[in-house]
Amino acid sequence: MSAKQNRQFRPLPVPNVELHGLFGARQEAICNSTAATLLDRCVEAGMVKAIDVGQPGPGIILPLQTWSGSTQMFWDSDLGKSIETIAYSLYRRPNPELEARADAIIDMYEKLQQEDGYLNAWFQRVQPGRRWTNLRDHHELYCAGHLIEAAVAYYQATGKRKLLDVMSRFADYMITVFGHGEGQLRGYCGHEEVELALVKLARVTGEKKYLDLAKYFIDERGQQPHFFTEEALRDGRDPAKFVQKTYEYNQAHQPVREQTKVVGHAVRAMYLYSGMADIATEYNDDSLTSALETLWDDLTTKQMYVTGGIGPAASNEGFTDYYDLPNESAYAETCASVGLVFWANRMLGRGPNRRYADIMEQALYNGAMAGLSLDGKTFFYENPLESAGKHHRWTWHNCPCCPPNIARLLASIGSYMYAAADSEIAVHLYGESKARVPLASGVTVELAQETNYPWNGAIRFAVNPDSRARFALSLRIPEWAAGATLAINGASVDLSSVTVDGYARIEREWQSGDKVDLNIPLIPRTLFANPRVRQDAGRAALMRGPLVYCVETTDNGRDLNGISLAGDPVSAQTAEIAALEGAIALDIPVKRDEADWGSDLYRTTPPKSRSATARFVPYHLWDNREPGEMLVWIRADQTQHGA
């Protein structure tokens, strides 16, 4: 095995990265609004009351559904993600009032925890006799995972160990419950999540036993005799009678190393693959990496929207057939794109590779970031690529998994931008920021990005090690970045001579004051879908840099499907939109169907068209102004584009 394969890159801790620019503005909105909003709405839903042992048990507030469970079962996960978001917001801006509210909830969890370490509001306060009886459907380990992630984040943010100790006790108890020993359950969760959480717990505590438990859950999944079948029989249930009727729904149909097609519930799949990638990094497990590479290609070449949205169907919140990517009915759950960012980031654990980082950026800027409004107060659950004007953000949901998920991602995005190995720093994402990177040699490097990316492609790095040191700096060169240039201290560097797996790898002795200039041209480009994607036939999408663009009624009037591209978007005019925090719009020549069709439903002649200009705005910003129609895929004359 090569040394490259054995490199282990780990993300920087969130406190090590200070953000400005676009991501900084998103974090400001989270500090100003979202973090408190999440907590307020959890309180209003009854979640905090449900964990307060000083009050009577809440009973079933949200009704049981056809899968014999209730979304109320997931309340611990919603509180966990909300506490995690609060923790990240406290890195950026101290907020004693919000911190005190989080402390009070943590106190409640400490009091709720049972002597053996078990902790779950539903199975202690609503159905206390049902612990560990239906892992397939009831999300016990999933809830534990989100509380573990909250504990790690809160400890790192505040230095307070209470929740970390609580969740470490729960994880220690899990080690006694699950395994191959006598009397142990050979089980795993129907909704993956705990796997990646245990890796975080291991990294912060230094305890390898939590890595081993995560590895056990991954290795055990899909093995025969099938745990979910045996569990159902023990519980007096018919194992064939469940809503989804296939173990593909939760990726338990085969052992994970044998899986070659991305199937089932999209969020569950992304969380599983994230945990697998973490374990592949920590154990240098080529068998997991190989399986993940196959699954990655399956997803990104046959099942992913241009926005990085995934999972087209509401029926299973997940995947259907290859090339089935409807636009107006797209489910494309915010959580699924967040999960794709998680997975892509963890695929970079064994070395920088733009095949993962480019998709991470695409899913982040488009499929995920659309889920949070500019003011940080309203959210998308589904993310269609076309709307007739009736799809809008909402304030809350019976299954409010997406609001805290997109909030915790954006509040911690600095850790996705940078990663470090023993003697190498990788920059995966660009944006105005400053990072502190400790290396194995004992040298700490301050790396500052000066840029207005993604609106402008000029990026300057100031490299300031605290003493002269030799290490590598790897900078991603996106696949779409034709004409990118690189210079070190003003001297040009031939990119082709230093690029490895899509990253410019600069290994040298660095000293304080060194400057690296990377210029990535942001040239608008037209994308066409594989002809098998029938919903996009005869249409094109526009991108500039990592951003997918769309048209909205507020800029272009109604009847957006009457627009067709008439010119090369390379020559688009750009304009700043004050109402969208200075985002760059593209003004492009188009043809528009005349609206004087009359009362006829059908005619023997096509509509007349006229020349016009259409304004395209970044997709992730749609529905932040006046409500109206939205469209990503625009009619296009493909012969004009060499198609």
Side-chain angles (χ1 to χ4, degrees):
M1 188 183 298
S2 73
K4 178 180 182 301
Q5 288 174 302
N6 278 326
R7 289 186 298 168
Q8 293 173 306
F9 281 80
R10 296 184 178 92
L12 291 188
V14 175
N16 286 36
V17 184
E18 175 187 316
L19 285 170
H20 303 282
L22 184 148
F23 289 141
R26 298 290 81 230
Q27 291 190 343
E28 282 296 298
I30 290 166
C31 290
N32 290 335
S33 302
T34 315
T37 294
L38 293 173
L39 206 49
D40 290 344
R41 293 176 188 164
C42 286
V43 169
E44 291 165 12
M47 295 182 191
V48 175
K49 184 178 178 182
I51 62 170
D52 185 354
V53 295
Q55 300 189 50
I60 299 174
I61 296 170
L62 300 179
L64 292 173
Q65 299 178 16
T66 53
W67 47 277
S68 77
S70 163
T71 54
Q72 186 180 337
M73 287 176 164
F74 325 152
W75 277 2
D76 287 333
S77 73
D78 299 321
L79 279 173
K81 285 181 285 189
S82 298
I83 292 170
E84 187 180 353
T85 302
I86 290 168
Y88 297 142
S89 77
L90 295 174
Y91 295 142
R92 185 173 184 92
R93 188 194 307 164
N95 185 329
E97 179 186 355
L98 196 58
E99 186 173 342
R101 293 179 68 188
D103 286 343
I105 293 170
I106 291 167
D107 287 344
M108 291 180 195
Y109 271 119
E110 183 185 44
K111 290 174 183 173
L112 180 63
Q113 186 170 37
Q114 294 184 197
E115 192 172 331
D116 61 7
Y118 185 80
L119 182 62
N120 183 288
W122 178 273
F123 291 105
Q124 289 176 252
R125 304 262 289 159
V126 182
Q127 290 186 330
R130 297 287 295 157
R131 183 200 296 194
W132 306 136
T133 57
N134 187 351
L135 288 173
R136 185 191 69 195
D137 299 326
H138 289 170
H139 293 61
E140 275 171 279
L141 291 170
Y142 167 84
C143 287
H146 281 307
L147 284 171
I148 287 170
E149 291 194 84
V152 170
Y154 204 72
Y155 167 66
Q156 290 178 328
T158 66
K160 297 175 180 176
R161 292 191 57 97
K162 183 176 288 186
L163 188 57
L164 185 67
D165 290 341
V166 164
M167 295 316 298
S168 295
R169 285 195 294 273
F170 193 5
D172 290 340
Y173 167 64
M174 288 181 211
I175 291 171
T176 70
V177 172
F178 295 97
H180 295 147
E182 186 177 347
Q184 288 185 302
L185 289 175
R186 297 189 61 165
Y188 41 85
C189 196
H191 194 314
E192 305 93 325
E193 208 287 333
V194 72
E195 298 84 354
L196 59 95
L198 286 165
V199 172
K200 285 187 176 181
L201 184 62
R203 287 173 175 171
V204 81
T205 63
E207 294 280 1
K208 184 174 180 290
K209 61 184 176 180
Y210 302 132
L211 284 181
D212 292 340
L213 181 59
K215 185 176 186 299
Y216 162 80
F217 285 136
I218 286 165
D219 289 344
E220 193 65 24
R221 193 168 207 85
Q223 300 288 350
Q224 296 294 334
H226 204 287
F227 173 75
F228 290 157
T229 298
E230 295 197 321
E231 171 190 69
L233 292 171
R234 278 197 305 272
D235 196 35
R237 293 179 279 117
D238 183 344
K241 286 189 176 178
F242 60 105
V243 173
Q244 298 298 336
K245 298 193 169 41
T246 170
Y247 293 149
E248 287 188 353
Y249 176 65
N250 37 39
Q251 300 78 42
H253 57 299
Q254 292 175 299
V256 297
R257 290 168 179 82
E258 298 172 20
Q259 296 183 27
T260 59
K261 182 178 180 181
V262 176
V263 295
H265 186 278
V267 179
R268 298 175 199 231
M270 295 304 103
Y271 287 175
L272 170 63
Y273 306 154
S274 296
M276 288 168 63
D278 270 339
I279 292 301
T281 296
E282 293 296 339
Y283 290 84
N284 286 314
D285 189 332
D286 288 344
S287 66
L288 281 176
T289 298
S290 177
L292 288 167
E293 287 171 346
T294 298
L295 291 163
W296 182 269
D297 287 343
D298 183 79
L299 177 71
T300 59
T301 65
K302 300 181 183 73
Q303 301 198 74
M304 186 184 77
Y305 284 99
V306 70
T307 56
I310 53 174
S315 58
N316 65 346
E317 295 190 301
F319 301 102
T320 54
D321 299 321
Y322 285 158
Y323 307 108
D324 178 31
L325 297 168
N327 293 310
E328 191 167 11
S329 65
Y331 199 70
E333 184 181 340
T334 296
C335 280
S337 288
V338 169
L340 178 53
V341 174
F342 292 168
W343 179 24
N345 183 255
R346 287 161 172 80
M347 290 299 286
L348 298 164
R350 305 195 75 188
N353 190 320
R354 77 176 175 203
R355 73 189 290 222
Y356 307 119
D358 278 4
I359 297 294
M360 176 171 71
E361 183 179 53
Q362 190 173 347
L364 168 64
Y365 274 110
N366 303 291
M369 203 150 60
L372 182 65
S373 64
L374 277 177
D375 64 9
K377 296 178 181 177
T378 55
F379 311 93
F380 277 143
Y381 194 106
E382 304 101 332
N383 291 279
L385 283 73
E386 177 177 354
S387 171
K390 296 180 181 178
H391 186 79
H392 306 294
R393 289 180 176 82
W394 38 263
T395 57
W396 207 236
H397 198 277
N398 280 342
C399 182
C401 51
C402 296
N405 219 7
I406 182 57
R408 71 179 180 136
L409 171 63
L410 291 176
S412 62
I413 199 63
S415 68
Y416 294 77
M417 297 174 71
Y418 300 93
D422 287 347
S423 58
E424 184 170 351
I425 301 169
V427 183
H428 302 312
L429 299 170
Y430 300 115
E432 183 91 9
S433 56
K434 187 179 292 183
R436 295 186 315 281
V437 189
L439 298 176
S441 62
V443 170
T444 295
V445 182
E446 182 186 272
L447 188 63
Q449 280 194 63
E450 182 183 337
T451 182
N452 194 29
Y453 191 89
W455 313 123
N456 186 295
I459 306 161
R460 165 164 282 199
F461 291 91
V463 186
N464 293 306
D466 55 15
S467 61
R468 291 177 72 104
R470 185 173 187 84
F471 58 89
L473 177 64
S474 287
L475 308 177
R476 179 176 59 97
I477 311 299
E479 187 177 10
W480 46 261
T485 60
L486 181 69
I488 301 175
N489 296 327
S492 294
V493 175
D494 177 10
L495 269 177
S496 64
S497 69
V498 296
T499 299
V500 180
D501 292 332
Y503 279 68
R505 189 173 191 273
I506 311 157
E507 186 169 5
R508 66 194 295 272
E509 187 172 273
W510 298 89
Q511 60 183 346
S512 185
D514 282 341
K515 298 286 191 293
V516 179
D517 286 287
L518 175 63
N519 198 314
I520 300 176
L522 301 181
I523 301 168
R525 61 195 187 278
T526 313
L527 294 185
F528 299 95
N530 186 307
R532 297 177 187 173
V533 183
R534 61 192 184 282
Q535 297 92 346
D536 299 333
R539 293 179 178 259
L542 293 182
M543 293 190 73
R544 180 178 185 264
L547 301 176
V548 174
Y549 275 69
C550 67
V551 285
E552 284 192 275
T553 295
T554 187
D555 300 305
N556 302 288
R558 300 180 59 184
D559 300 320
L560 299 178
N561 269 300
I563 295 174
S564 57
L565 294 175
D568 191 334
V570 168
S571 59
Q573 299 296 307
T574 59
E576 288 191 13
I577 313 172
L580 297 177
E581 297 184 348
I584 298 295
L586 302 177
D587 293 330
I588 296 177
V590 297
K591 295 285 188 181
R592 291 205 71 154
D593 291 346
E594 296 284 6
D596 61 346
W597 187 263
S599 60
D600 296 337
L601 187 56
Y602 305 104
R603 285 187 183 177
T604 57
T605 55
K608 296 177 181 177
S609 63
R610 58 180 173 83
S611 297
T613 299
R615 170 158 287 189
F616 290 74
V617 298
Y619 169 80
H620 77 267
L621 294 171
W622 84 276
D623 199 48
N624 271 287
R625 298 172 292 169
E626 298 80 10
E629 299 173 37
M630 181 276 295
L631 189 62
V632 168
W633 288 94
I634 309 294
R635 290 190 296 160
D637 180 356
Q638 299 188 19
T639 61
Q640 293 185 1
H641 299 268

